[in-house]
Amino acid sequence: MGVVIAGLLLVLVLMFMLSSVKVVRQGYQYTIERFGKLTNVAQPGLTIIVPFFDRIGRRVNMMEQVLDIPGQEIITKDNAMVAVDGVVFFQVLDAAKAAYEVSDLYVAIMQLATTNLRTVMGSMDLDELLSKRDEINGRLLAVVDHATEAWGVKITRVELKDIRPPADIVNAMTRQMKAEREKRATILESEAARQNEINRAEGQKQAQILEAEGRREAAFRDAEARERAAQAEATATKLVSDAIEAGSSQSLNYFIAQKYVEAVSQFANSPNAKTILFPVEATQLIGTLGGIGELAKSALGSDGGLPGNVTVPRTRSPQ
């Protein structure tokens, strides 16, 4: 009988020892209650409690968690109905507050995020909703994080997954975008045409300027050439005058012969004249050429010597 009692006592001791040892998993914290009152928070690892007096209350997940915000319809400031859904990332920092300050942490965070989502997005226009997602995320994060601070929870991120406007608004936005792009394309084409006309006008202006400068240069050179020709003519006339004044008739004969030859060459160059009749005697022309020869003879040397390839024609009276 004593052996049986001893065995029972041993079993009770083993059960007592086993019930007093608790293992807390990594990433979790357990609350320990004594007679229903929070006494301690067990950290990951091995924890000893008093059996029959202490018990494990709440097993709190301390890792970062993701909570989906269900899709809902929101009326914007400009009375547009949009469907929105999102996600909330949060982490429990104080296991005791998360376990005893709110009855259902997940439902509370979801309801809080949903109501603030409606408040924030309902105060904005549709265009602002579609273009300012980062601003919406930041405002939601600040509001929800401040509200959950008393629960020992840190809201790390709030993200909008999708914003779905009605089909008719999407079609209107598509037409508006197409019209805007066509408008920009038309403006760019007109700007290109304008720039092309400006470049063409600038090119014509430069061409006219260069052409005018060329005409001015050509006129200047023509005037210079005429001035030099006039100076040469004046010099030749003066020399002939001086020679005539000095009593030399040969210079006068040379001048007359030169003008005579020029006049005859003009007759010969006429496109309408095929036959030329000279209204002068040949002896007069030969006499004039003889005068030119005498003039050249007197100019080349006082002794009357001429180069070997120069001969002076002699005048003869007609038989």
Side-chain angles (χ1 to χ4, degrees):
M1 193 66 183
V3 175
V4 174
I5 294 174
L8 292 173
L9 291 175
L10 181 60
V11 170
L12 290 175
V13 170
L14 291 175
M15 291 178 62
F16 181 82
M17 294 179 61
L18 290 176
S19 61
S20 64
V21 176
K22 300 296 180 181
V23 177
V24 180
R25 293 185 298 167
Q26 181 66 36
Y28 285 83
Q29 289 184 4
Y30 295 172
T31 61
I32 300 175
E33 300 176 355
R34 178 170 295 177
F35 301 115
K37 181 181 178 180
L38 176 66
T39 59
N40 193 13
V41 176
Q43 301 296 325
L46 189 63
T47 301
I48 305 298
I49 64 175
V50 179
F52 307 110
F53 295 96
D54 296 337
R55 70 181 186 89
I56 301 298
R58 302 287 182 87
R59 294 173 171 83
V60 182
N61 188 348
M62 305 299 292
M63 296 179 287
E64 187 172 3
Q65 303 174 64
V66 180
L67 184 63
D68 286 329
I69 301 175
Q72 53 187 317
E73 293 184 348
I74 299 175
I75 300 177
T76 62
K77 185 178 180 180
D78 52 354
N79 297 324
M81 184 74 69
V82 293
V84 182
D85 57 0
V87 291
V88 177
F89 297 83
F90 69 95
Q91 185 177 11
V92 177
L93 302 181
D94 192 330
K97 290 182 178 181
Y100 299 105
E101 294 293 335
V102 59
S103 61
D104 194 332
L105 180 64
Y106 297 99
V107 175
I109 294 176
M110 183 182 298
Q111 295 299 323
L112 185 62
T114 301
T115 54
N116 283 279
L117 182 64
R118 289 178 178 273
T119 302
V120 172
M121 298 186 67
S123 63
M124 303 175 71
D125 296 332
L126 179 60
D127 292 337
E128 293 178 338
L129 294 183
L130 298 176
S131 60
K132 297 182 178 180
R133 288 198 178 192
D134 292 338
E135 181 179 346
I136 296 173
N137 295 335
R139 291 175 61 180
L140 286 174
L141 176 62
V143 173
V144 177
D145 183 55
H146 179 72
T148 57
E149 184 177 359
W151 303 340
V153 176
K154 173 65 177 177
I155 305 297
T156 57
R157 283 186 299 172
V158 178
E159 299 289 342
L160 296 178
K161 291 196 299 184
D162 193 14
I163 300 177
R164 297 181 298 275
D168 55 345
I169 295 180
V170 173
N171 294 332
M173 293 172 60
T174 302
R175 292 194 301 270
Q176 180 184 1
M177 179 185 65
K178 183 178 179 181
E180 185 68 23
R181 291 184 182 274
E182 291 178 352
K183 173 185 174 182
R184 279 188 278 178
T186 303
I187 293 175
L188 290 177
E189 289 177 358
S190 63
E191 288 291 336
R194 174 175 172 271
Q195 189 64 34
N196 187 22
E197 292 296 331
I198 292 175
N199 293 337
R200 185 179 302 171
E202 188 69 22
Q204 292 178 355
K205 174 184 175 183
Q206 294 296 329
Q208 291 176 359
I209 292 174
L210 293 177
E211 184 179 358
E213 290 180 352
R215 289 198 303 269
R216 184 183 68 176
E217 185 67 21
F220 176 76
R221 293 185 180 273
D222 290 342
E224 186 178 3
R226 288 195 300 270
E227 181 182 358
R228 291 185 178 180
Q231 290 178 356
E233 186 71 19
T235 302
T237 304
K238 184 176 182 303
L239 291 176
V240 172
S241 264
D242 293 342
I244 293 173
E245 186 179 358
S248 174
S249 61
Q250 295 178 355
S251 299
L252 181 61
N253 292 334
Y254 171 76
F255 186 75
I256 295 172
Q258 181 182 7
K259 295 300 182 181
Y260 185 83
V261 172
E262 290 178 357
V264 171
S265 65
Q266 291 180 359
F267 279 112
N269 292 330
S270 176
N272 298 324
K274 301 300 181 181
T275 304
I276 302 175
L277 298 177
F278 294 95
V280 294
E281 296 182 358
T283 55
Q284 295 178 356
L285 177 61
I286 295 174
T288 302
L289 295 176
I292 295 174
E294 292 297 331
L295 179 62
K297 181 179 179 181
S298 62
L300 292 173
S302 59
D303 56 351
L306 293 174
N309 57 351
V310 178
T311 60
V312 178
R314 298 181 180 274
T315 60
R316 291 187 305 173
S317 62
Q319 298 294 330

